[in-house]
Amino acid sequence: MHVAIIGAGIAGMATALRLQARGVKTTLFEAHGQPGGCAGFFRRRGFSFDVGATTLVDFEAGGVGGELLESVGLGPIEGEPLPGYVAWLPDRRVVLHRDQAAWGRERLRAFGDDAAHRAFWALLDRLADVFWRASRAGVCLPLRGAADLARAASLLSPRDWPLARHLGRTMGDALRAAGLAGDRALRGLLGMLIEDTVHSSVERAPLINAALGVTIRGAGLTRAAGGMRGFFRALAARYRALGGALRVGCRVDRVEGREGAFTLVTQRGRFEADQIVSGLPAELSAAVGPPGVAEALAPHLAHNRGAEGGALVVFLGVPEREIAGQGFTHHQLLHDYEAPLGSGNNMFLSLSAPGDTESAPEGYRALMISTHCELGPWQGLAPADYAAARDAAGARLVELARRVYPELAARPLVYEVATPRTYERFTRRPRGAVGGFRLGLDNANQRAIPHDVGVPGFWLVGDTTWPGLGTVACVLGSRAVADRVCARARRALPAAGARLRREAPRGA
């Protein structure tokens, strides 16, 4: 059996690695000149900059990412395990500790040590504990039948089943139930973390998804040595060592045929495959997929129209002296409780670790300043108007970041600004939308885009499908899809299935 994977972002790369480690012959197609996608990187004057994700979530032993590494025979990723980071609110600072005991004390100090706050945090902790365990065990949504329901139930103990009632609640509902809806500092922190992890808001975000997002520090954040460049170099090297074929600079224009006889039409010729996994955003999967995919995805795309968002990022290569004086390398800033989030009001600062010469030359550091933004204002601008808007956005982000680093960007070696247009150009994402759909009760979990849209042998994976955005979500999705590809092979292609049963996983 031969499986083609389209798109070498983290979801596509993880799926290809899993299949190759199980003895499935795979080819991974990437339109760009290197793997990574929206979790990728670029190099400039000796610096390596992350263009999207800057940290890996749950990549330690026992975690979702740790399971991936173990299953494909990779050791731990070299890098900086973050002890936490600092949230800069308009009127206070809060250290979001990785250590759960320290975080428990800090949140009560910062927001209030009373019965209401304690009960609220206890609920979030309980939801996070139960559903992190279910995620690590391989839960998959949306449920498509009795077998899926039975498996999901088996991953929760009977005492946890009542927590499923929270699937119909939002974070805003939980705050109101606790009597904390008017706590603007708490609401501000939650809004920052929710926008950063599920690209949603306090009122819209499903409570369970938001609880997982708010607690990601406890699952463990790591910045790889060399940033995402170092991470993807390790994944690509392992994939090739397992016999996988990585074709970069090879855009797939369309897929023809059917299961067992698919043809991928690319810039570099035609390739055959028995099954296809698309790691592209759902809109691009609809455009290039075989017959039936566009029709199956049309209702989902119509439903999610308007749920897309973009990003603004400033990439700085700066001398050490410009970022001195802070004990943490990562910071998140909120400047105004009353203003909408995004476009600088909620921004994330990710700094390369001291001594990480894979990320920056000696004596310098790589800093990424990122914030969410709407797509509309960046569409249809004349060149001069676009340049002016880009420059103004970059200057604003740097000025706001000087709250943390007062001398920032006085004499940078590198200063570049990315907008939705940048992402559209370099990642092919329609209108530059990144990070998947903004999650709400109407498009998450049981209502998410499934990996199987009903076209035999064709699968979707990535941030526009369940479970959504982020490195950990894409890795979790890759596990579900790899399992289904192999199961499908055993049912639909008996000869290939027999070989899969005989051949042990080649993870070591």
Side-chain angles (χ1 to χ4, degrees):
M1 181 179 67
H2 181 209
V3 178
I5 298 95
I6 307 172
I10 192 165
M13 176 64 81
T15 306
L17 268 166
R18 290 183 187 279
L19 291 172
Q20 198 67 41
R22 297 183 192 187
V24 179
K25 181 181 178 182
T26 64
T27 301
L28 181 55
F29 295 87
E30 171 55 47
H32 203 278
Q34 61 197 30
C38 280
F41 60 92
F42 73 96
R43 297 277 289 170
R44 193 78 78 237
R45 298 187 68 179
F47 294 87
S48 183
F49 295 106
D50 303 328
V51 302
T54 60
T55 58
L56 303 170
V57 178
D58 209 29
F59 263 76
E60 297 188 358
V64 172
E67 180 276 330
L68 167 67
L69 300 180
E70 182 180 3
S71 72
V72 303
L74 263 174
I77 295 294
E78 180 185 356
E80 175 197 14
L82 302 184
Y85 58 90
V86 181
W88 299 62
L89 301 178
D91 56 358
R92 69 197 75 184
R93 297 182 196 177
V94 184
V95 179
L96 285 80
H97 296 281
R98 175 177 182 161
D99 178 78
Q100 290 304 286
W103 169 232
R105 292 188 296 270
E106 175 72 355
R107 66 197 187 188
L108 295 177
R109 178 202 65 79
F111 302 106
D113 186 357
D114 54 53
H117 284 88
R118 284 182 174 274
F120 175 77
W121 290 116
L123 172 63
L124 292 197
D125 290 346
R126 175 94 170 106
L127 291 172
D129 176 64
V130 168
F131 289 100
W132 270 116
R133 282 192 279 110
S135 296
R136 288 165 175 158
V139 68
C140 185
L141 296 173
L143 304 176
R144 305 300 289 272
D148 286 350
L149 179 61
R151 172 164 173 75
S154 73
L155 297 177
L156 301 175
S157 70
R159 66 183 291 268
D160 295 329
W161 290 350
L163 294 177
R165 71 184 186 279
H166 293 294
L167 286 168
R169 302 179 71 204
T170 68
M171 181 62 81
D173 293 331
L175 282 172
R176 281 185 287 276
L180 297 173
D183 186 335
R184 68 174 189 170
L186 175 58
R187 193 180 185 92
L189 177 77
L190 295 173
M192 295 166 69
L193 299 177
I194 288 168
E195 184 182 60
D196 199 47
T197 55
V198 299
H199 290 197
S200 194
S201 66
V202 166
E203 289 302 329
R204 178 171 165 77
L207 176 57
I208 290 174
N209 305 72
L212 293 172
V214 166
T215 59
I216 62 172
R217 292 158 317 289
L221 298 181
T222 302
R223 188 178 190 277
M228 298 307 285
R229 175 173 176 259
F231 175 64
F232 274 100
R233 280 198 305 181
L235 295 191
R238 183 58 183 160
Y239 177 62
R240 290 187 170 112
L242 289 169
L246 174 58
R247 293 183 172 272
V248 296
C250 189
R251 186 185 72 215
V252 174
D253 292 323
R254 66 181 185 277
V255 177
E256 301 172 345
R258 55 181 175 79
E259 182 179 19
F262 285 120
T263 298
L264 293 89
V265 180
T266 81
Q267 295 173 303
R268 297 187 177 182
R270 299 167 71 89
F271 298 86
E272 308 301 318
D274 296 302
Q275 295 192 57
I276 304 286
V277 177
S278 176
L280 304 178
E283 190 171 348
L284 290 180
S285 294
V288 306
V293 172
E295 292 79 2
L297 282 173
H300 294 287
L301 295 176
H303 182 71
N304 282 289
R305 192 166 293 120
E308 309 95 340
L312 300 171
V313 188
V314 177
F315 305 100
L316 292 172
V318 297
E320 291 266 8
R321 63 180 178 273
E322 291 189 5
I323 46 81
Q326 295 293 339
F328 289 85
T329 55
H330 290 63
H331 302 264
Q332 192 163 4
L333 287 75
L334 180 69
H335 304 286
D336 187 341
Y337 285 130
E338 307 305 325
L341 297 185
S343 297
N345 193 34
N346 186 24
M347 47 191 274
F348 196 73
L349 278 59
S350 180
L351 181 68
S352 62
D356 181 4
T357 54
E358 291 292 314
S359 292
E362 187 173 352
Y364 290 84
R365 305 278 278 281
L367 177 66
M368 284 67 63
I369 308 172
S370 59
T371 187
H372 296 272
C373 72
E374 298 295 332
L375 300 177
W378 296 94
Q379 309 302 308
L381 294 177
D385 294 334
Y386 169 72
R390 178 200 60 207
D391 294 347
R396 170 172 164 77
L397 295 190
V398 170
E399 183 59 35
L400 292 172
R402 287 181 178 142
R403 183 178 173 197
V404 179
Y405 302 117
E407 304 301 319
L408 185 64
R411 299 177 66 86
L413 281 188
V414 178
Y415 179 111
E416 296 193 16
V417 181
T419 74
R421 282 198 182 185
T422 314
Y423 286 96
E424 184 173 28
R425 176 184 175 190
F426 287 104
T427 70
R428 296 179 60 218
R429 295 223 164 192
R431 299 171 300 285
V434 296
F437 301 120
R438 294 163 171 161
L439 296 188
L441 295 176
D442 61 338
N443 70 347
N445 304 321
Q446 190 60 18
R447 293 183 174 86
I449 297 179
H451 302 300
D452 173 9
V453 294
V455 176
F458 186 88
W459 312 90
L460 301 176
V461 70
D463 61 15
T464 53
T465 64
W466 185 88
L469 53 151
T471 55
V472 68
C474 287
V475 170
L476 182 58
S478 76
R479 179 176 173 179
V481 169
D483 289 345
R484 282 155 177 72
V485 167
C486 292
R488 182 74 190 174
R490 288 189 286 269
R491 292 195 302 270
L493 303 169
R499 180 176 63 76
L500 282 174
R501 285 190 293 271
R502 290 194 304 269
E503 188 164 343
R506 295 186 291 159

